[in-house]
């Protein structure tokens, strides 16, 4: 019999680890593990842990067994901030572009992409926008254009191994606005293509409602409250919102929730 790492259980039973004096086994252990002495189980756990580590999943066996496996190797948590005013200006332009790479096995953050973006149609931020997002004029002046930022996103995706066809990843947003409205709308206005990896995503609001049975009207604030989580950072900061999304996802995963794509194919 072989396990997933290709290790033969029969071979293990013939190792020194398998030669365990029976008088050292407690009655309870004999009842639960009559075929596997403690040394074999410990050795097996160690082998599996090393195998996982070799694939970049450096989680302990305890962490691995604490929640069921997800359908994706990585979740890419994204939350744009854009130019805005009251009444709303058109077109809106992305001014903050953050992505967190979340390991689907451990639900821990492995890498971060974060850039501010220079708006070109309305280059001057409104007082309303600065008050809402905390982004001041000096943070966007002289920054790359959206086209340049998208090129750097693609470079980051390649560096992180996310463009490998064998690696399953998906974006996660708080709502459908970021990838259904904001990015394709601005790309269309500027005549830029939208990469295929931006065309499917998980709406965290929908995922939360499936898991908890209630719709989070106030987004992250309601989700944090419903899960008894402390809000991280400043509301409407793109990078802080990403951290909150990641924290909510980790909590739901530990409760046994399996995340699935919620967007319809383009």
């Amino acid at each position: 019999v072989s396990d997933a790492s290709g290790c033969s259980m029969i071979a293990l039973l013939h190792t020194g680890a398998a030669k365990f004096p029976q008088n050292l086994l407690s009655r309870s252990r004999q009842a639960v593990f009559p075929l596997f002495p403690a040394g074999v189980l410990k050795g097996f756990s160690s082998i599996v842990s090393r195998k996982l580590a070799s694939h970049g999943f450096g989680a302990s066996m305890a962490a691995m067994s604490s929640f069921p496996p997800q359908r994706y190797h990585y979740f890419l948590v994204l939350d744009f901030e854009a130019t805005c005013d009251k009444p709303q200006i058109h077109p809106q332009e992305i001014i903050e572009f953050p992505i967190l790479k979340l390991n689907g096995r451990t639900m821990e953050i492995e890498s971060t992409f974060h850039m501010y973006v220079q708006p070109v149609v309305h280059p001057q931020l409104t007082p309303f926008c600065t008050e809402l997002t905390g982004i001041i004029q000096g943070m966007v002046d002289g920054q790359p254009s959206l086209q340049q930022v998208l090129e750097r996103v693609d470079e980051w995706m390649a560096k992180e191994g996310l463009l490998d066809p064998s690696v399953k990843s998906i974006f996660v947003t708080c709502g459908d606005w970021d990838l259904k409205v904001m990015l394709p709308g601005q790309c269309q206005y500027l005549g830029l293509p939208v990469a295929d990896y931006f065309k499917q995503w998980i709406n965290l609001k929908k995922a939360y409602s499936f898991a908890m049975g209630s719709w989070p009207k106030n987004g992250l604030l309601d989700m944090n409250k419903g899960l008894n989580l402390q809000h991280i950072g400043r509301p409407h900061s793109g990078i802080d919102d990403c951290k909150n999304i990641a924290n909510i996802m980790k909590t739901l995963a530990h409760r046994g929730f399996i995340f699935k794509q919620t967007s319809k194919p383009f």
Side-chain angles (χ1 to χ4, degrees):
V1 182
S2 295
D3 75 328
S5 67
C7 175
S8 167
M9 293 301 296
I10 293 174
L12 277 175
L13 288 170
H14 286 85
T15 64
K19 298 173 184 177
F20 210 87
Q22 291 296 315
N23 61 355
L24 296 181
L25 293 174
S26 68
R27 290 182 181 180
S28 61
R29 183 167 289 160
Q30 287 175 340
V32 179
F33 301 119
L35 298 177
F36 299 101
V40 173
L41 292 171
K42 183 177 180 181
F44 178 68
S45 174
S46 176
I47 289 167
V48 174
S49 293
R50 289 198 302 271
K51 188 70 176 177
L52 288 167
S54 73
H55 286 283
F57 301 117
S60 67
M61 288 301 290
M64 289 290 294
S65 62
S66 63
F67 56 89
Q70 296 290 330
R71 295 183 170 193
Y72 296 92
H73 296 113
Y74 297 101
F75 296 104
L76 306 176
V77 179
L78 177 149
D79 190 273
F80 295 139
E81 298 304 324
T83 54
C84 53
D85 202 1
K86 282 190 174 180
Q88 190 59 273
I89 56 176
H90 296 284
Q92 283 188 274
E93 298 171 87
I94 295 168
I95 54 175
E96 186 180 5
F97 204 126
I99 307 172
L100 299 181
K101 179 188 176 189
L102 202 64
N103 187 306
R105 294 292 188 106
T106 65
M107 302 305 286
E108 297 292 342
I109 298 167
E110 285 195 354
S111 181
T112 301
F113 178 93
H114 185 213
M115 293 188 72
Y116 291 99
V117 189
Q118 169 76 60
V120 294
V121 182
H122 301 287
Q124 192 70 30
L125 301 183
T126 64
F128 175 85
C129 182
T130 294
E131 183 178 352
L132 180 70
T133 65
I135 298 173
I136 62 173
Q137 192 66 40
M139 295 165 73
V140 297
D141 283 345
Q143 294 301 309
S145 66
L146 179 64
Q147 180 177 358
Q148 292 170 320
V149 171
L150 289 173
E151 290 170 356
R152 295 191 191 181
V153 168
D154 203 66
E155 292 169 0
W156 177 79
M157 296 275 288
K159 180 176 70 75
E160 295 294 329
L162 297 167
L163 301 184
D164 183 336
S166 67
V167 175
K168 292 187 66 178
S169 65
I170 190 168
F171 279 90
V172 184
T173 59
C174 184
D176 291 321
W177 175 82
D178 300 79
L179 293 178
K180 187 176 182 179
V181 177
M182 187 62 236
L183 182 63
Q186 189 177 358
C187 284
Q188 182 179 28
Y189 183 89
L190 296 173
L192 302 174
V194 178
D196 286 343
Y197 46 71
F198 287 126
K199 295 180 180 180
Q200 49 277 319
W201 64 88
I202 294 169
N203 178 344
L204 184 63
K205 292 180 182 179
K206 290 181 180 178
Y208 177 91
S209 68
F210 297 151
M212 303 296 288
S214 62
W215 183 261
K217 279 173 147 185
N218 294 313
L220 294 173
L221 295 177
D222 281 357
M223 288 186 271
N224 277 327
K225 184 177 180 181
L227 294 170
N228 295 314
L229 298 175
Q230 189 72 31
H231 192 86
I232 299 169
R234 174 196 174 103
H236 300 296
S237 156
I239 191 64
D240 288 347
D241 284 353
C242 284
K243 292 174 183 176
N244 281 284
I245 292 171
N247 199 30
I248 290 165
M249 291 184 69
K250 182 178 180 180
T251 302
L252 291 176
H254 277 280
R255 293 187 178 199
F257 185 74
I258 306 295
F259 290 92
K260 302 173 185 177
Q261 178 179 331
T262 62
S263 64
K264 295 179 181 179
F266 270 50

